[in-house]
Amino acid sequence: MSFGFTSNTSNVFGKMVEEAGSYNVKIMDSSVAKKSKTGKEMAVLDYEVLDGKYAGGAIKWHNIVWDESSEEATQLSLKRFNTLTAALGFPDGTNFNMTLERFVNGIKGKQLNITVDWEEGTNGNYHLAVKSQQEIKEKSEPNGVFRPTNNGGTSTTKASTNPFGNSNQSKQEATNPFEQTKLENTDPFAKNSTTIDIPDKDLPF
């Protein structure tokens, strides 16, 4: 068989999500805990779309900061992380007294739904930013809003063209959720096969 193919942007490495909207996702293994530029603890979550036209596409770098610099900042931090754990289906009373790194490692592979919209970065480029998190839905729903262009409009999908014709064309019970022993109906990570070893000093009892 000699060389020859038809270009297909849905069959590429590093597939991109090109529309804002609501997406069912899983938390990718590339997610990490790190320090923000101001030295605060921060979860950096990457998501992979589970279904629909962008299945396999990545939405990256959702920063969730833990800030205890004031009572107000602490309460906002609690809301941010409670929003995430509620979207992941953890019941009230689940104890997350652990390091942020252990927390992030524990939620890798878990599923939720996120709503994203285009946001302009400090470099002038637009990226998809997470605006809300909720429990997984029946299906992902792109909303038809593509990346804004430099003139304030939005980009549109491109029809198939001669690839060489125009050089200017652009393209429940509260338990430790990460304990190693599997507790029926109490271990929030029992749905996944992942087991995480925790030192005795980290156990909540």
Side-chain angles (χ1 to χ4, degrees):
M1 179 179 176
S2 60
F3 176 80
F5 70 100
T6 301
S7 62
N8 181 359
T9 57
S10 66
N11 186 27
V12 298
F13 292 112
K15 183 177 178 180
M16 300 296 294
V17 178
E18 298 180 355
E19 298 173 60
S22 170
Y23 293 97
N24 291 326
V25 297
K26 71 174 181 179
I27 298 175
M28 299 172 65
D29 287 344
S30 56
S31 301
V32 297
K34 61 187 300 184
K35 296 285 188 180
S36 70
K37 291 181 179 179
T38 58
K40 297 178 176 63
E41 290 191 285
M42 177 172 67
V44 183
L45 303 184
D46 296 337
Y47 304 103
E48 180 181 329
V49 178
L50 295 171
D51 63 327
K53 64 190 292 187
Y54 296 113
I59 299 171
K60 308 189 77 174
W61 306 306
H62 177 207
N63 299 336
I64 309 178
V65 176
W66 182 263
D67 183 358
E68 295 180 318
S69 60
S70 67
E71 179 60 25
E72 181 181 9
T74 300
Q75 293 305 314
L76 288 173
S77 296
L78 287 169
K79 286 183 180 294
R80 282 191 288 267
F81 280 88
N82 272 316
T83 298
L84 171 61
T85 55
L88 292 173
F90 290 104
D92 288 350
T94 303
N95 190 332
F96 293 103
N97 289 329
M98 59 187 66
T99 65
L100 182 58
E101 181 180 13
R102 190 175 296 278
F103 173 81
V104 172
N105 286 336
I107 63 175
K108 290 177 181 179
K110 303 296 286 183
Q111 299 179 3
L112 68 157
N113 180 277
I114 59 174
T115 301
V116 295
D117 202 356
W118 295 106
E119 188 173 279
E120 186 176 8
T122 55
N123 58 2
N125 294 327
Y126 285 85
H127 65 281
L128 286 173
V130 176
K131 299 301 182 180
S132 66
Q133 302 158 288
Q134 43 279 327
E135 291 190 2
I136 199 163
K137 297 183 178 181
E138 182 179 350
K139 63 179 181 179
S140 295
E141 296 182 331
N143 64 10
V145 179
F146 292 82
R147 187 188 307 272
T149 59
N150 291 336
N151 59 12
T154 57
S155 62
T156 58
T157 55
K158 301 183 286 295
S160 298
T161 61
N162 182 335
F164 308 109
N166 185 351
S167 61
N168 293 323
Q169 202 170 6
S170 61
K171 339 194 262 171
Q172 47 264 350
E173 280 284 341
T175 65
N176 185 327
F178 306 117
E179 64 183 337
Q180 186 172 11
T181 304
K182 295 183 179 179
L183 301 177
E184 185 176 359
N185 297 326
T186 58
D187 182 357
F189 291 104
K191 294 180 182 178
N192 290 346
S193 60
T194 304
T195 315
I196 300 177
D197 187 20
I198 290 194
D200 289 343
K201 65 183 182 64
D202 288 337
L203 294 175
F205 48 80

